[in-house]
Amino acid sequence: MQNDYIIRMLQQMTVVFARIIGLKENKRYDEALGAIGEELKKRIGITPKLIDALAWDEIINLITTNEPQPSGKCLTVAGLLKEEGDIYRLQGEFEKGYERHLKSLYILLFANERYGVHLLEIDRLIEQMMPSLSEYELPRDAKRMLFGYYETAGKYAKAEDILFELVNEPEQKRQDVIQEGMAFYERLLQKNDEELKKGGLPQAEIMDGLQELQKKSR
């Protein structure tokens, strides 16, 4: 039911996104940013300038307050911020593009974590943004959310990559992650070989990773 609602909302936004992408591809960046600004104001009542000043959780509060089906709006706003980030990068404003992509990422991960939204659209947006996001050091909370997302999405090798980024952080911050990581590997050991192969993490590598975390936990 929820996914049906989201799909309908995304279908309604297809024309909007097509216009924005068309303007972007024709290098009419100011017009594209103006169209995004109009949609953001329509969807959550704020301007791009205010987006600059708000933290990601404050943006989510605006999205979800008095909204009976917030998951669809989360995806719409995340998509708009992703396009805005793309345009800033095309204009050479890489820092601003990163900030927009990071806020978009947070909203997508929140929608997945809070509402159990599992759609190709989330995966598509995240994968399109990861090259630019990977140019910077992601915040710790974003990495932890991304770790959880990759596991639920069945992308176990990518989840493991994020896990070891977290594990290799300073000693005082990593013990809880080590315990989460061991639980992650234990869950994977309950899956069949086909699922593990699809997720890019065969059982032998799971055992290696588990043993490495066990050593680090001592």
Side-chain angles (χ1 to χ4, degrees):
M1 178 74 75
Q2 177 177 248
N3 276 4
D4 290 343
Y5 169 80
I6 296 170
I7 290 167
R8 287 197 302 274
M9 176 173 280
L10 292 175
Q11 288 171 341
Q12 291 168 7
M13 288 295 294
T14 298
V15 174
V16 173
F17 279 110
R19 176 174 173 243
I20 291 167
I21 291 168
L23 290 168
K24 179 179 71 174
E25 290 177 347
N26 286 292
K27 299 183 180 181
R28 294 161 65 181
Y29 300 138
D30 288 343
E31 290 179 64
L33 290 173
I36 291 169
E38 289 173 10
E39 286 300 321
L40 286 172
K41 192 166 185 181
K42 184 188 300 182
R43 302 291 162 180
I44 53 178
I46 60 174
T47 64
K49 282 190 177 180
L50 192 52
I51 291 280
D52 288 335
L54 293 175
W56 68 271
D57 52 345
E58 293 174 315
I59 297 171
I60 285 173
N61 283 338
L62 290 173
I63 294 171
T64 57
T65 299
N66 299 321
E67 175 59 50
Q69 294 282 357
S71 51
K73 189 182 282 189
C74 282
L75 291 184
T76 298
V77 172
L80 291 168
L81 295 182
K82 181 263 179 191
E83 291 300 327
E84 197 172 26
D86 287 353
I87 293 167
Y88 286 135
R89 285 180 60 82
L90 288 168
Q91 293 179 311
E93 297 185 67
F94 297 105
E95 187 72 27
K96 199 165 185 179
Y98 165 74
E99 290 171 359
R100 282 299 194 273
H101 283 169
L102 182 60
K103 286 175 180 176
S104 176
L105 177 68
Y106 273 123
I107 294 168
L108 293 169
L109 295 175
F110 170 85
N112 172 260
E113 192 175 273
R114 177 63 62 87
Y115 306 116
V117 178
H118 303 291
L119 285 179
L120 288 176
E121 182 68 11
I122 286 185
D123 190 60
R124 181 184 69 83
L125 291 172
I126 289 176
E127 291 306 307
Q128 286 180 351
M129 291 188 294
M130 285 313 295
S132 66
L133 289 168
S134 63
E135 294 173 7
Y136 299 80
E137 181 70 21
L138 285 176
R140 180 179 169 82
D141 60 342
K143 288 182 182 179
R144 295 191 76 154
M145 292 172 75
L146 195 57
F147 167 66
Y149 167 74
Y150 280 142
E151 182 182 358
T152 60
K155 300 189 173 191
Y156 306 132
K158 290 187 176 184
E160 184 183 53
D161 289 343
I162 297 292
L163 170 63
F164 275 93
E165 284 186 35
L166 289 163
V167 167
N168 290 326
E169 288 182 348
E171 181 76 26
Q172 67 270 20
K173 293 183 177 180
R174 74 181 192 181
Q175 286 303 318
D176 56 339
V177 178
I178 289 173
Q179 296 302 316
E180 287 180 29
M182 289 193 290
F184 163 69
Y185 285 127
E186 293 290 352
R187 289 192 293 273
L188 293 191
L189 288 173
Q190 305 304 311
K191 298 184 181 297
N192 60 49
D193 289 342
E194 185 61 32
E195 288 177 286
L196 298 177
K197 181 180 178 181
K198 189 175 179 181
L201 202 61
Q203 189 172 98
E205 291 184 24
I206 292 171
M207 294 304 300
D208 289 343
L210 182 57
Q211 288 172 9
E212 187 171 347
L213 290 189
Q214 288 170 340
K215 290 176 185 176
K216 289 179 181 294
S217 69
R218 293 169 188 163

